[in-house]
Amino acid sequence: EHGYKRRYQDKDGVVYMPEDSDVVCFEMREEDEQGTHAAVLTYGEQTGVFPPNTLFVLKHVEAPGTWEAPGGVFPKKRLLVCSPTFRSSLPPRAGSKSDGADKTGTGGGERSKAGGEDS
């Protein structure tokens, strides 16, 4: 309901603190001739980063309370839906369109909320 929650860890453990901000959604898709359109995964399937010089294009804005977050809640914060694009100097990943297979498990149009937990 509050939207984005930031992970905070102290000597007593981990807590998630609500932030008074909009929530950003990254619509990811397969690599193409324009570049890579997905986060680089770091610690698993839910945590990723974007390299410097990533171009983020705002696709649309969803009003507070009208979009569903993981867990079936409807945060009272705006959802900013963005599309990322960056050029990689690495060879195409296995499963990208350039090798003719979809082995990444991401599929087209997958959405990923930025960081933290929703409530």
Side-chain angles (χ1 to χ4, degrees):
E1 191 170 284
H2 295 287
Y4 176 74
K5 288 187 177 181
R6 179 174 49 93
R7 185 177 192 267
Y8 176 76
Q9 184 168 352
D10 62 14
K11 63 181 173 39
D12 297 324
V14 175
V15 294
Y16 289 90
M17 303 168 62
E19 292 290 333
D20 185 21
S21 69
D22 294 327
V23 177
V24 178
C25 169
F26 300 106
E27 282 191 336
M28 296 187 268
R29 63 183 197 273
E30 295 294 325
E31 286 182 45
D32 60 20
E33 62 280 350
Q34 300 299 315
T36 301
H37 309 285
V40 177
L41 297 179
T42 55
Y43 301 110
E45 294 296 315
Q46 298 296 317
T47 305
V49 297
F50 293 100
N53 295 324
T54 298
L55 172 66
F56 296 98
V57 175
L58 179 64
K59 301 304 245 179
H60 64 275
V61 178
E62 296 187 26
T66 64
W67 57 277
E68 185 175 0
V73 297
F74 291 82
K76 294 184 179 25
K77 299 292 181 181
R78 292 188 315 169
L79 180 68
L80 309 177
V81 180
C82 298
S83 172
T85 301
F86 64 91
R87 298 267 180 166
S88 175
S89 59
L90 301 174
R93 296 183 311 232
S96 69
K97 274 191 173 181
S98 60
D99 77 359
D102 181 8
K103 301 173 192 152
T104 62
T106 59
E110 180 177 331
R111 290 181 166 193
S112 174
K113 307 290 183 298
E117 296 282 321
D118 291 315
S119 69

